[in-house]
Amino acid sequence: MLKQDYMQVSPDQPINSEAPLQLLLFVDGRPQSRQQVQQIRAYLQGLSAEYSFELQIIDVGQQPYLAEHFKLVATPALVKIHPEPQQTLAGSNIIAQLKSWWPRWQAATEAFLNLQENLKDISDQDEYVVRPDSTIHSVAVSAELIKLADEIFDLKQEKEKLKEQLQFKDRVIAMLAHDLRNPLTAAAIAIETLQNNFDVENGKFEILKPKMAEHLLKQARAQTKIIDRMVADLLQVGRGNDTNLPIVPQKLELNKLSLEVLAELRDRCIAKSQKIETDIPNDLPLVYADPERIRQVLINLLDNAIKYTPNGGVISLSALHRTTQKVQFSIGDNGPGIPPENRDRIFENHYRLERDEGKDGYGIGLSLCQRIIRAHYGQIWVDSNPTGGSWFHFTLPVYPS
Ligand code: ADP
């Protein structure tokens, strides 16, 4: 009896595994092996005329787990799975190997059948009959088990990852929601002050000097921009997929942008009596970058400088045209600095120095900066002195003239 087909070996499709000699022929879809497979099949067909055996043909492309189960390294391969011991013939001369093994396989099958007969005679009971435990069906079951175990392992890992992501999201969303209150209150106070002083009939502010009214308007606008950025961060965290970072580069005046960002944060520096020093050449070339993303980088770096530098400290902004193709921008402070062993790690997602755990933050600012700068094909790094002070530098491509 010769069964030749590409039917899937699967435990829910039990196949007839009565024949004591059971073989599996593993094939692949490569055109190069087609001829060899045809020859092996024809040879087996010839053998089946003299001796009954069961043959299952398995396409490794469809049943990779079975190939894994038999630790196959090449196809085609012919595996004798019963009677035991299991044996694999592979390589370019399977037919030659089969010729030499065939008589021994037949002998082993006969021995198995005799043993079964003897046991049956002794006990005269069916349950004492030795049942083959490595039939095609049982092999399919164990291969399916390997596959399921692998899938369970993958699912468990996926679950852990999702759990971690969810916890992180919850934490970030709670913190961002909390942080949103500051700019929201500042904007609301500015708007309320303007509104309370506005005389509708005259169309003028009653007590407020025009300069003060302008300051309040600017303040309200700056705070809404901060809110906007935070909401964008929230949405990004919500999306959870932080691998894609859309960049829309354009011609950008870095000195103008940095002064705008500085103006937005000036009140915070004033509140901490921090001095700001700038050294940005007027002829700094234009860069090729996404303004919104670079704004995020500048805000994050300046925000850190203000946050980690004590009251009365000095924060500096400087830029230089490093090469014909690159502009380097630096934000320095005279705060506590970064120990040498942490200078790379602070750019990792969620990483914070133990020293700063008491301060607000969630360790994503610098990793976001790094992703943004790298997406612009630039570099970002930090220098620090043993006596303190940090200098965060980043480079951006010059806009081609
Ligand atoms: P966060 O500030 O939210 O903790 P960041 O990714 O922006 O996250 O920074 C990571 C860590 O690097 C901070 O927790 C802090 O320990 C350290 N750090 C960043 N900037 C400075 C700085 N200017 N001075 C000292 N330490 C800093």
Side-chain angles (χ1 to χ4, degrees):
M1 168 182 68
L2 177 66
K3 270 187 76 169
Q4 285 190 338
D5 59 32
Y6 283 87
M7 194 178 83
Q8 293 216 337
V9 178
S10 126
D12 42 36
Q13 281 178 304
I15 57 165
N16 174 15
S17 19
E18 289 305 308
L21 178 56
Q22 299 197 4
L23 307 177
L24 299 180
L25 177 61
F26 285 86
V27 300
D28 57 56
R30 289 178 307 144
Q32 305 96 288
S33 53
R34 193 172 299 142
Q35 199 190 357
Q36 195 192 355
V37 169
Q38 272 167 4
Q39 286 166 355
I40 299 168
R41 290 179 68 166
Y43 188 77
L44 286 166
Q45 180 89 48
L47 291 175
S48 73
E50 304 158 16
Y51 198 79
S52 165
F53 61 92
E54 170 112 14
L55 173 72
Q56 180 79 39
I57 296 177
I58 294 157
D59 184 337
V60 286
Q62 287 169 16
Q63 303 275 312
Y65 285 92
L66 273 179
E68 197 181 308
H69 177 84
F70 288 102
K71 301 182 175 57
L72 296 186
V73 287
T75 45
L78 184 68
V79 184
K80 169 176 76 73
I81 56 168
H82 193 266
E84 288 180 344
Q86 187 183 300
Q87 194 181 351
T88 303
L89 308 182
S92 53
N93 60 347
I94 292 179
I95 295 179
Q97 294 178 58
L98 189 56
K99 272 185 193 157
S100 102
W101 281 103
W102 191 249
R104 281 178 267 182
W105 286 4
Q106 273 180 311
T109 309
E110 292 311 315
F112 170 79
L113 288 172
N114 286 341
L115 176 69
Q116 220 180 14
E117 279 306 311
N118 291 344
L119 284 171
K120 212 171 172 185
D121 287 348
I122 296 165
S123 68
D124 210 20
Q125 281 177 28
D126 237 19
E127 69 235 47
Y128 288 103
V129 171
V130 178
R131 295 207 180 278
D133 58 2
S134 59
T135 61
I136 288 175
H137 181 60
S138 71
V139 162
V141 172
S142 37
E144 194 70 13
L145 281 177
I146 299 176
K147 185 175 155 192
L148 287 175
D150 270 11
E151 279 174 8
I152 290 171
F153 180 77
D154 288 350
L155 285 172
K156 272 192 182 152
Q157 279 200 325
E158 189 77 0
K159 187 179 141 200
E160 282 310 305
K161 229 166 73 191
L162 286 174
K163 220 164 95 186
E164 218 174 81
Q165 262 177 20
L166 277 179
Q167 278 169 351
F168 176 65
K169 261 192 206 177
D170 281 355
R171 230 173 49 226
V172 172
I173 288 170
M175 287 175 126
L176 278 170
H178 171 264
D179 290 358
L180 262 173
R181 262 187 259 147
N182 291 334
L184 207 57
T185 312
I189 290 174
I191 294 166
E192 262 174 48
T193 314
L194 286 164
Q195 193 187 19
N196 291 343
N197 280 283
F198 192 65
D199 184 342
V200 185
E201 285 177 13
N202 289 335
K204 281 186 184 156
F205 291 107
E206 283 170 356
I207 334 167
L208 283 182
K209 295 213 169 82
K211 264 262 168 261
M212 187 58 185
E214 191 196 356
H215 172 77
L216 288 171
L217 280 169
K218 272 195 182 155
Q219 170 76 357
R221 190 162 162 256
Q223 297 300 327
T224 52
K225 274 192 183 160
I226 294 175
I227 295 170
D228 186 51
R229 183 179 57 87
M230 288 178 140
V231 172
D233 283 355
L234 257 174
L235 289 176
Q236 184 147 349
V237 173
R239 252 182 258 126
N241 178 9
D242 58 6
T243 48
N244 62 358
L245 192 73
I247 297 284
V248 190
Q250 50 186 270
K251 209 196 268 189
L252 176 68
E253 277 184 66
L254 201 49
N255 40 6
K256 195 166 153 223
L257 179 68
S258 59
L259 294 178
E260 269 173 36
V261 171
L262 208 53
E264 280 173 29
L265 298 173
R266 197 175 291 276
D267 285 355
R268 286 190 48 210
C269 290
I270 294 171
K272 285 189 81 175
S273 315
Q274 288 165 337
K275 205 173 138 203
I276 295 177
E277 290 174 352
T278 55
D279 179 14
I280 306 172
N282 281 336
D283 60 351
L284 192 71
L286 297 172
V287 293
Y288 188 54
D290 183 325
E292 272 319 301
R293 294 293 178 194
I294 300 305
R295 173 187 287 273
Q296 268 181 297
V297 171
L298 291 168
I299 289 186
N300 271 303
L301 294 180
L302 277 167
D303 185 72
N304 279 350
I306 299 168
K307 182 163 65 175
Y308 296 110
T309 304
N311 287 2
V314 182
I315 290 161
S316 66
L317 253 86
S318 56
L320 67 119
H321 188 179
R322 238 179 82 159
T323 65
T324 44
Q325 276 137 29
K326 256 195 233 167
V327 159
Q328 177 177 320
F329 205 88
S330 309
I331 290 170
D333 63 60
N334 64 348
I338 315 279
E341 64 275 18
N342 300 115
R343 283 182 204 158
D344 286 332
R345 295 214 63 193
I346 53 167
F347 292 98
E348 288 172 17
N349 208 2
H350 310 184
Y351 189 82
R352 310 193 69 204
L353 293 184
E354 240 178 83
R355 170 191 85 189
D356 297 321
E357 265 161 17
K359 297 214 165 69
D360 274 353
Y362 20 88
I364 54 173
L366 287 179
S367 86
L368 182 69
C369 292
Q370 188 181 55
R371 284 174 42 225
I372 294 174
I373 296 299
R374 285 189 176 166
H376 285 84
Y377 305 104
Q379 283 162 316
I380 183 165
W381 69 100
V382 64
D383 279 340
S384 205
N385 268 347
T387 50
S390 316
W391 289 267
F392 284 88
H393 310 281
F394 63 86
T395 58
L396 285 174
V398 167
Y399 188 79
S401 49

